[in-house]
Amino acid sequence: MAKAKLTRAEQKIQRPLQILDAAFEEFTKRGFTATRVEDIAERVGVTKGTVYVYFETKEALFEAMVKHASQPFQEAFNAYAHTSDDPVEELRLLLEFLFDALVDNKKMRELFRLILAEGAKFPDLIDQHHDTLMAPVFARIDAILEEGVAKKRFRANPPELAKVVMSPMVGTLVFRLIFNDRRILDRQAVLKIHLELIMRGLLA
C-alpha cells in the first residue's frame, strides 16, 4: 500500500526533527568543527537557509541535537519502574536496564563519544546534560543504596558511591566504543562480575 503523502503542515512539524536526526549523523561522523550546515541540509533535502530557520546558529543546532538524541534514554529512564523488596536484586535490575540503555545502545554510545570529544567547547551544555541525564541515575542508585542500609543489607552508603557503582559500566562503554563488534564482550559475564564486585564492598 502506498504511503500517504504528508501535508505541508505535517512536513513543517517533522522538519526540525529530520534536521536534528541528520545533524546527529553528521556531527558524530565528522565532529563539530568539520561538520558543515550545508551537509546536514543535504541529508534532509532542504537548503542551508531552511536549517537556519529552525536553528539560528551551528552551535544552537549542536545543542538541540544533543538534547534530542538523549531524549529517548531520558524517557525510558523516567518510565523505568522495576523494583524489588531486596535491594541487591533491585540494584541488579537497574544495572541491567542501564547496560541495555547505554552500553548496548549504539546511538547512546556515539553520543557519549561526541560529548567526550566536544564537551570542552560546550561546558554549559555538558553541565545541563549531567543534571538532566546522569544526576537522576545517580539519585536512583543512591536511593537503592540507602534502602539497603536501612534494611541492614548494605554496610554504608558513603558520598560518591553511586558514581563508583557506575564506573565499571562506563569502562565497558568505552571498550565498546573502541572495539565496537571486533572484540567479543560477554554481556552477562560483565554484569555478573560488576554486581559481585560491588556486593563485596556493600554487603553487611
Side-chain angles (χ1 to χ4, degrees), residues 92 96 186-199:
R92 183 188 69 79
E96 282 195 347
D186 188 328
R187 178 185 184 280
Q188 291 305 320
V190 169
L191 277 168
K192 183 173 182 290
I193 295 168
H194 185 171
L195 195 63
E196 285 177 354
L197 286 172
I198 293 168
M199 289 306 134

Side-chain angles (χ1 to χ4, degrees), residues 1-31:
M1 191 167 99
K3 191 174 180 180
K5 189 174 180 180
L6 296 176
T7 65
R8 183 179 291 272
E10 289 171 333
Q11 289 177 342
K12 191 172 182 180
I13 291 171
Q14 288 197 8
R15 186 69 74 216
L17 300 179
Q18 293 170 341
I19 292 170
L20 290 171
D21 287 336
F24 177 84
E25 297 298 329
E26 287 296 322
F27 282 128
T28 54
K29 180 181 178 181
R30 308 177 192 277

Side-chain angles (χ1 to χ4, degrees), residues 161-179:
L161 181 57
K163 294 182 179 68
V164 175
V165 169
M166 278 292 292
S167 293
M169 190 165 297
V170 174
T172 306
L173 176 58
V174 172
F175 181 92
R176 288 293 302 274
L177 278 174
I178 294 171
F179 295 109

